[in-house]
Amino acid sequence: MEEEGDRRRSGVLGVAYEYSKDCILEPLSLPESPGGSTTSVGSPSVPCIFCEEHFPVAERDKLLKHMIIEHKIVIADVKLVADFQRYILYWRKRFTEQPVTDFCSVIRINSTAPFEEQENYLLLCDVLPEDRILREELQKQRLKEILEQQQQERNDTTFHGVCMFCSEEFLGNRSVLLNHMAREHAFNIGLPDNIVNCNEFLCTLQKKLDNLQCLYCEKTFRDKNTLKDHMRKKQHRRINPKNKEYDRFYVINYLELGKSWEEVQLEDDQELLDHQEDDWSDWEEHPASAVCLFCEKQAETIEKLYVHMEDAHEFDLLKIKSELGLNFYEQVKLVNFIRRQIHQCRCYGCCVKFSSKADLRIHMEETKHTSLLPERKTWDQLEYYFPTYENDTLLCTLSDSESDLTAQDHNKHVPVISEDTSKLHALKQSSILNQFVLRESLKN
């Protein structure tokens, strides 16, 4: 339990310190394949735990940001809270009954700095038994409500819907329409018994089609005929499995706390694999693209990205690594430092801030500030262990190989011990080699 608490404190509270210092108060992601965002459903607003501020349910991150900045409280693993509104209301009431420190750990941030620069944060997480029980009860309650809703839809005989592809009307049960689209149009969104909130699901899909958007690749087309031809020829009559917007329409996503359908399915597949021999003959590795430190350029290999940064931005990461003798963790901190400065439109060479990344890039290329790194103590800080972007593939490709370093850097920390010649004569007299020489002489 103590190790778990320490892990959460170091992870969550470390991020909280970054928030307070640099005001990056939401998860950041580098450009990748288009997808949807999760939409919260529930009461119109959620109050702050400590004050009277209210935020819409759909803007949960703004409430979390408010609580971090104004009240210095961090809630761990928010994504694992089944009903965020009820969770907040519960602790809002409990905090009026007992001191907050009875429930939250108090963590001091930046403890090595002068006292006036140190800050205390409150951490609320499921290491506390009461919090874990609350989260489990909220999960059970949500699952119960979902199963009741699903059962009601399964028994409903008043359903009325229109096919999205041929405009044929269907009355009775929702399964009639879903089976029709699967059979006649090869559009299968799953078995009817696995779907919940079916009307809302169909309305969401219809709205995308009305906006001339492909349901799978989510590209937008100029007219309906072009869209229909595209979806038919590309076999895109299916939904995008990476779009998290659809997760709330499938019962499987409510079964286990903190697990999506992909994780549940992966566990089921793993059980099957445990009973089979390992066969990697059909393995195909899909390379993950890494993004340039200074622009939106992506490359499938780290070598191509290094060449791009050197040619386009005169930034040679391998040379910097060699000259400074950086190990893996120091490279991580340097990359995260540069990522944060570029995200904040600030030149790390002269500390001037710009209104856009484009202006910053022009400035850094004209002044050649891309290669002008600040003093090591500026970026070699613990806070830069935390990635600026959650999906930064570049961090996974950094090398810790000593072969990349020059021979001088490789040997600069190896002590050289001079030979002790004071007893060289005595060593010669007592050497076992003398016996071998004597034996060879007698033989001859």
Side-chain angles (χ1 to χ4, degrees):
M1 184 72 75
E2 291 179 356
E3 292 180 359
E4 177 71 7
D6 292 339
R7 180 183 68 80
R8 293 178 183 277
R9 294 184 188 104
S10 60
V12 179
L13 267 286
V15 176
Y17 174 64
E18 288 187 323
Y19 287 169
S20 64
K21 186 175 181 180
D22 290 327
C23 293
I24 299 179
L25 296 172
E26 61 278 333
L28 302 174
S29 292
L30 292 166
E32 57 182 18
S33 301
S37 57
T38 301
T39 304
S40 302
V41 177
S43 182
S45 65
V46 182
C48 172
I49 286 184
F50 293 107
C51 67
E52 298 305 318
E53 287 285 337
H54 282 68
F55 296 83
V57 172
E59 299 178 0
R60 181 184 65 182
D61 289 344
K62 290 186 178 181
L63 172 57
L64 297 174
K65 184 190 302 185
H66 163 80
M67 291 194 295
I68 290 175
I69 295 176
E70 300 298 331
H71 308 291
K72 291 184 171 56
I73 182 170
V74 178
I75 300 176
D77 297 324
V78 177
K79 293 180 180 179
L80 301 185
V81 177
D83 191 322
F84 183 66
Q85 183 196 26
R86 294 180 188 173
Y87 181 85
I88 292 294
L89 292 176
Y90 177 88
W91 284 117
R92 179 181 171 91
K93 181 176 182 296
R94 292 290 284 135
F95 286 170
T96 62
E97 298 171 350
Q98 291 178 234
V100 178
T101 50
D102 287 354
F103 309 104
C104 300
S105 301
V106 180
I107 309 299
R108 177 166 295 177
I109 299 300
N110 201 19
S111 58
T112 58
F115 181 78
E116 59 274 9
E117 297 181 11
Q118 298 179 13
E119 294 184 272
N120 290 335
Y121 279 82
L122 299 170
L123 174 62
L124 180 61
C125 65
D126 61 2
V127 173
L128 178 70
E130 184 176 350
D131 186 86
R132 172 167 286 278
I133 293 173
L134 173 61
R135 292 179 185 230
E136 292 175 351
E137 289 299 322
L138 291 176
Q139 169 66 14
K140 293 177 183 178
Q141 181 63 28
R142 182 178 69 167
L143 178 58
K144 179 182 177 182
E145 294 171 355
I146 289 296
L147 292 178
E148 291 176 352
Q149 175 66 22
Q150 183 203 31
Q151 186 62 36
Q152 178 184 347
E153 294 181 9
R154 290 172 63 180
N155 299 330
D156 182 23
T157 58
T158 61
F159 174 84
H160 173 263
V162 179
C163 176
M164 294 183 288
F165 302 100
C166 65
S167 300
E168 183 177 350
E169 293 189 18
F170 293 87
L171 299 173
N173 189 271
R174 58 181 186 162
S175 60
V176 180
L177 171 58
L178 297 181
N179 291 334
H180 162 80
M181 290 193 295
R183 183 178 61 255
E184 301 297 332
H185 306 287
F187 181 71
N188 188 0
I189 58 176
L191 296 175
D193 288 347
N194 296 336
I195 296 174
V196 67
N197 296 320
C198 185
N199 283 333
E200 184 181 354
F201 192 9
L202 294 175
C203 288
T204 300
L205 298 177
Q206 185 63 58
K207 184 177 180 181
K208 289 180 179 292
L209 292 177
D210 291 341
N211 292 330
L212 305 179
Q213 185 178 28
C214 174
L215 298 178
Y216 181 73
C217 67
E218 302 186 338
K219 293 180 181 178
T220 303
F221 295 84
R222 63 176 181 270
D223 55 55
K224 287 187 177 182
N225 290 332
T226 306
L227 172 61
K228 289 171 63 176
D229 290 342
H230 162 81
M231 294 181 67
R232 177 178 55 83
K233 293 178 181 179
K234 297 292 185 179
Q235 296 183 350
H236 281 190
R237 284 188 175 179
R238 47 189 171 143
I239 63 174
N240 183 1
K242 295 183 179 180
N243 192 332
K244 302 299 183 183
E245 179 183 5
Y246 303 132
D247 286 356
R248 58 196 174 93
F249 300 118
Y250 291 91
V251 176
I252 191 174
N253 292 298
Y254 299 92
L255 296 181
E256 295 188 51
L257 181 64
K259 291 185 180 180
S260 65
W261 65 270
E262 294 172 308
E263 294 169 314
V264 174
Q265 188 177 49
L266 184 61
E267 291 179 354
D268 294 340
D269 293 342
Q270 187 61 44
E271 292 180 1
L272 295 176
L273 292 174
D274 290 341
H275 301 288
Q276 300 176 2
E277 295 182 0
D278 293 334
D279 182 11
W280 299 89
S281 59
D282 60 346
W283 171 260
E284 293 183 7
E285 183 176 0
H286 301 281
S289 298
V291 182
C292 174
L293 290 170
F294 305 98
C295 67
E296 303 300 324
K297 171 70 177 178
Q298 299 187 29
E300 292 185 353
T301 64
I302 190 62
E303 291 77 13
K304 292 181 180 179
L305 186 63
Y306 284 156
V307 171
H308 161 75
M309 289 194 293
E310 186 175 356
D311 293 344
H313 309 291
E314 298 184 16
F315 182 84
D316 191 341
L317 185 58
L318 291 178
K319 181 179 179 182
I320 293 173
K321 169 190 172 182
S322 176
E323 291 178 347
L324 299 181
L326 304 181
N327 61 30
F328 173 76
Y329 297 103
E330 291 167 335
Q331 293 176 69
V332 168
K333 288 189 280 189
L334 178 60
V335 168
N336 288 333
F337 167 78
I338 295 176
R339 289 280 197 212
R340 186 186 300 182
Q341 301 306 306
I342 300 302
H343 171 74
Q344 296 174 334
C345 301
R346 182 186 295 114
C347 174
Y348 54 74
C350 60
C351 297
V352 176
K353 192 164 185 177
F354 294 83
S355 58
S356 68
K357 289 183 180 180
D359 294 340
L360 170 64
R361 187 160 55 246
I362 294 173
H363 160 78
M364 297 188 73
E365 291 174 356
E366 290 179 349
T367 59
K368 300 187 183 302
H369 280 185
T370 52
S371 58
L372 185 61
L373 293 177
E375 295 183 11
R376 190 182 190 118
K377 63 181 181 180
T378 302
W379 55 265
D380 194 3
Q381 301 291 333
L382 293 177
E383 61 188 282
Y384 296 115
Y385 276 129
F386 299 98
T388 302
Y389 297 97
E390 293 182 331
N391 61 339
D392 194 349
T393 309
L394 178 58
L395 297 175
C396 304
T397 61
L398 298 175
S399 170
D400 198 22
S401 172
E402 294 185 356
S403 62
D404 294 336
L405 302 178
T406 62
Q408 179 180 358
D409 290 333
H410 180 72
N411 298 319
K412 66 180 181 180
H413 297 303
V414 179
V416 179
I417 303 175
S418 61
E419 184 179 358
D420 185 3
T421 59
S422 61
K423 298 182 180 181
L424 186 59
H425 179 71
L427 180 62
K428 289 181 179 180
Q429 295 297 326
S430 60
S431 174
I432 192 173
L433 295 178
N434 293 331
Q435 299 181 18
F436 291 109
V437 174
L438 180 59
R439 289 176 185 173
E440 292 296 325
S441 299
L442 293 176
K443 288 180 181 180
N444 297 332

